[in-house]
């Protein structure tokens, strides 16, 4: 009864739309990243801790020598193949996929720390396929 | 014995890079085949032994041939369904929810649309 009255009134009168809640107001909740990668917003100290833990638990490494800017081959006396193994362990820890050329260049702890914190986990290069165009 | 010319060193450096990339791919492949860690560790050690056995080879042609043979073996043993990190290209979640373009908003006017 009331809804029929309302719709009959609305058919004759044009009620203007009121733009109430635009997303630009609340900036805090607007940045909700869609990716389900849990590691999206890491802070630097956490990255440093995790990378150092990985390096320290490597069996050929002396844990007391590990600092955030240690070079794997020069300071820790590791091999290039050990380097590869450490990079793989970092990939597994941060659930990243590092391309082969980049992985080859990671030679020291500082590079290893800077890589996960700088890689954005949002798919930037993704091609958006508009699925609804040509139907 | 061998003149340490720039070309020779460059070639050796390129070979070393090939070896590292081959080791990396072979290790990932080993992880693909041996999913459980307690099976992976002995296999990874065996792979490392194979690389270590040829560590001291000096002749550049021999190294070239060995690397080519290693790459052929790797190609033969590649896993048909490798594990790719889901957010990486080729993974299952790649581009699954791309961020919407800037400036697109939701207008909340439920119930107040034009009654046609």
């Amino acid at each position: 009864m009331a809804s029929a009255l309302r719709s009959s009134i609305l058919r004759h009168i044009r009620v203007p739309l009121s733009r109430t809640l635009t997303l630009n107001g609340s900036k805090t909740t607007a940045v909700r990243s869609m990716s389900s990668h849990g590691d999206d917003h890491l802070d630097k100290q956490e990255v440093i801790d995790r990378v150092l833990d990985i390096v320290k638990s490597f069996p050929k490494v002396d844990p007391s020598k590990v600092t955030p800017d240690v070079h794997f081959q020069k300071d820790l006396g590791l091999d290039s193949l050990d380097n590869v193994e450490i990079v793989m362990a970092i990939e597994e820890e941060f659930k990243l996929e590092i391309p082969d050329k980049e992985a080859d260049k990671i030679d020291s702890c500082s590079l290893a720390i800077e890589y996960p914190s700088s890689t954005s986990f949002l798919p930037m290069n993704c091609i958006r396929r508009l699925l609804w165009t040509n139907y | 014995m061998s003149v340490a010319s720039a070309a020779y060193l460059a070639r050796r450096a390129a070979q070393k890079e090939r070896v590292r990339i081959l080791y990396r791919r072979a290790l990932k492949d080993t992880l693909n085949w041996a999913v459980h860690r307690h099976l992976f560790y002995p296999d990874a050690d065996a792979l490392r032994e194979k690389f270590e056995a040829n560590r001291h080879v000096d002749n550049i042609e021999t190294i070239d041939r060995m690397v080519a043979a290693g790459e052929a073996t790797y190609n033969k043993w590649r896993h048909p369904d490798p594990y790719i990190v889901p957010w990486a290209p080729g993974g299952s979640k790649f581009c699954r929810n791309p961020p919407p373009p800037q400036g697109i908003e939701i207008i909340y006017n439920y119930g107040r649309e034009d009654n046609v």
Side-chain angles (χ1 to χ4, degrees), chain A:
Chain A
M1 172 60 194
S3 63
L5 186 60
R6 177 171 173 268
S7 54
S8 64
I9 289 179
L10 281 176
R11 234 176 281 134
H12 296 287
I13 307 173
R14 199 144 259 274
V15 179
L17 291 174
S18 57
R19 282 173 146 245
T20 51
L21 300 164
T22 58
L23 280 178
N24 286 329
S26 56
K27 250 320 176 179
T28 50
T29 52
V31 188
R32 187 173 69 100
S33 63
M34 301 273 193
S35 74
S36 47
H37 193 285
D39 279 351
D40 262 350
H41 306 288
L42 290 171
D43 36 75
K44 194 73 182 270
Q45 191 51 47
E46 208 184 309
V47 176
I48 294 180
D49 285 339
R50 280 161 86 170
V51 172
L52 288 185
D53 276 339
I54 292 177
V55 182
K56 280 181 199 166
S57 55
F58 199 67
K60 295 182 194 169
V61 160
D62 182 13
S64 58
K65 283 198 209 160
V66 176
T67 66
D69 53 2
V70 79
H71 195 273
F72 294 141
Q73 296 188 21
K74 292 182 199 149
D75 296 334
L76 295 175
L78 291 179
D79 200 13
S80 62
L81 297 184
D82 292 327
N83 198 355
V84 170
E85 289 182 7
I86 290 185
V87 169
M88 265 203 65
I90 292 176
E91 269 195 357
E92 286 187 339
E93 165 74 22
F94 289 100
K95 300 190 210 98
L96 286 178
E97 179 105 0
I98 309 180
D100 286 339
K101 296 281 178 180
E102 301 284 322
D104 207 29
K105 295 189 184 110
I106 296 184
D107 248 349
S108 63
C109 264
S110 48
L111 283 176
I113 288 169
E114 140 201 4
Y115 197 89
S117 27
S118 70
T119 312
S120 152
F121 294 106
L122 293 175
M124 290 298 178
N125 305 331
C126 143
I127 303 168
R128 300 209 46 199
R129 288 179 301 159
L130 300 171
L131 298 170
W132 301 277
T133 45
N134 300 328
Y135 269 62

